[in-house]
């Protein structure tokens, strides 16, 4: 009896030792992705990417039908204020990576535009260009708004401080001859702005993100709203001044009650990190981002996921690539 108990204890000790050895052999690492508000597009896309690149210790290997992420990595999507907030958090070390609009990333890294009066985020580095983000201007159907110029005298949310939307909303207003003093500005997340619109306390709000955006889709299913086109001389002026803006179309039927295509502008959604992140880690993350298993997750997970493609990963990039990402893109011929 005593001998059997000794054998049992020895077996348990051996099992614990083996488990500890396995844990040591594959150490766990955490990698946060700053996204945006939960009602926008960044957050669900961040969740998809976090799942794709994660492969916690003890997971089934990729070749056996398990995760094809980075061995030992646990990635998480973190809700945030958006582009500006994400870049500040990356530079401050409280996030390993995050999403940013192409314009905000370029300004931050070069210390120009929006970042002119601040120290440049000179360690900001690119992992991948992801997909185009459409500039949405959503108005109550009965607010008498047919164009950007009609925002004069209206109650308009420009999104919250720290968001890329706020930056772009101000650019749009200026290009169309308006300023914040011409409107009654509010600074709310899109879901909060949508709630105010339901209550009749908001006439319009801006949101930059991939369509369909959750907050707008939910609002359109319950109330009559319209997407306002951002076209004409004002849009031409924006594209001439800022090369990272492109013409874009939100297709008819994207949102309930949207009977026609709506012309607008877009900027690239980009995944950025710090130059201080290890080269091998970012190389493995980039490789996991573009494997076949991730492709299936993108195609099934979100409408914008279908547009996240390796052939576009290096397009519209105004800042240096992280050496780990650069190594991968050179291997597949996407960079020379």
């Amino acid at each position: 009896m005593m001998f059997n108990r000794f054998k049992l204890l020895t077996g348990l000790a051996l099992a614990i030792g083996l488990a500890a050895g396995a844990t040591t052999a594959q150490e766990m690492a955490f990698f946060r992705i700053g996204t945006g508000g939960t009602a926008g597009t960044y957050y669900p896309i961040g969740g998809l990417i976090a799942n794709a690149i994660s492969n916690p210790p003890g997971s089934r290997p990729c070749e056996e039908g398990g995760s094809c992420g980075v061995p030992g990595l646990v990635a998480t999507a973190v809700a945030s204020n958006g582009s500006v907030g994400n870049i500040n958090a990356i530079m401050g070390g409280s996030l390993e990576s995050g999403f940013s609009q192409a314009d905000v990333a370029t300004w931050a890294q070069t210390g120009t535009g929006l970042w002119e009066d601040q120290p440049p985020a000179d360690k900001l580095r690119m992992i991948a260009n992801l997909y185009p983000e459409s500039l949405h201007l959503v108005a109550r159907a009965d607010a008498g708004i047919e164009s950007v110029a009609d925002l004069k005298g209206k109650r308009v949310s420009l999104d919250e401080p720290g968001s890329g939307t706020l930056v772009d909303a101000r650019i749009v207003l200026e290009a169309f001859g308006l300023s914040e003093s011409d409107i009654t500005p509010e600074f709310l997340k899109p879901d909060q702005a949508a709630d105010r619109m339901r209550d009749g306390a908001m006439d319009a709000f801006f949101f930059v993100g991939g369509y369909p955006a959750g907050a707008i889709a939910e609002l359109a299913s319950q109330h009559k709203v319209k997407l306002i086109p951002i076209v004409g001389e004002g849009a031409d002026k924006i594209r001439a001044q800022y090369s990272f803006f492109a013409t874009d179309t939100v297709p008819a039927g994207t949102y309930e009650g949207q009977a026609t295509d709506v012309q607008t502008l877009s900027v690239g959604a980009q995944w950025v990190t710090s130059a201080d992140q290890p080269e091998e880690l970012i190389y493995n993350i980039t490789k996991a981002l573009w494997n076949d298993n991730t492709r299936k997750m993108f195609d099934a997970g979100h409408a914008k996921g279908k547009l996240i493609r390796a052939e576009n990963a290096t397009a519209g990039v105004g800042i240096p690539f992280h050496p780990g990402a650069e190594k991968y893109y050179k291997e597949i011929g996407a960079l020379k």
Side-chain angles (χ1 to χ4, degrees), residues 92-155:
S94 58
L95 282 176
E96 287 72 40
S97 72
F99 296 158
S100 172
Q101 293 170 196
D103 49 353
V104 178
T106 302
W107 285 328
Q109 201 273 335
T110 56
T112 58
L114 170 70
W115 241 264
E116 207 167 86
D117 299 324
Q118 303 177 58
D122 50 10
K123 286 191 174 183
L124 196 67
R125 295 293 182 268
M126 184 67 58
I127 297 177
N129 183 59
L130 298 174
Y131 60 87
E133 296 191 90
S134 305
L135 214 167
H136 294 72
L137 175 53
V138 185
R140 255 189 18 251
D142 59 357
I145 299 170
E146 300 295 334
S147 67
V148 176
D150 294 333
L151 294 178
K152 190 169 184 176
K154 304 294 186 182
R155 297 162 297 181

Side-chain angles (χ1 to χ4, degrees), residues 235-247:
D236 294 342
K237 184 178 177 182
I238 291 170
R239 287 191 298 107
Q241 189 172 355
Y242 304 106
S243 60
F244 33 70
F245 279 100
T247 55

Side-chain angles (χ1 to χ4, degrees), residues 217-293:
E218 184 180 349
L219 177 64
S221 71
Q222 300 166 350
H223 293 268
K224 289 186 177 179
V225 297
K226 61 173 79 170
L227 279 187
I228 306 304
I230 300 175
V231 292
E233 289 183 16
D236 294 342
K237 184 178 177 182
I238 291 170
R239 287 191 298 107
Q241 189 172 355
Y242 304 106
S243 60
F244 33 70
F245 279 100
T247 55
D248 194 23
T249 301
V250 181
T254 298
Y255 300 105
E256 197 167 319
Q258 184 198 338
T260 60
D261 292 351
V262 175
Q263 305 301 311
T264 185
L265 299 171
S266 68
V267 293
Q270 300 183 333
W271 188 15
V272 295
T273 187
S274 167
D276 292 335
Q277 289 296 317
E279 180 175 339
E280 184 180 5
L281 173 64
I282 301 301
Y283 171 82
N284 287 330
I285 283 172
T286 310
K287 188 174 182 180
L289 178 68
W290 300 118
N291 69 36
D292 291 341
N293 195 51

Side-chain angles (χ1 to χ4, degrees), residues 6 52 71 98 110 124 145 161 166 183 192 203 220 228 235 246 277 304 329:
F6 176 77
T110 56
L124 196 67
I145 299 170
L166 176 56
I183 62 174
Q192 295 171 328
D203 298 312
I228 306 304
Q277 289 296 317
K304 273 292 178 255
Y329 292 128

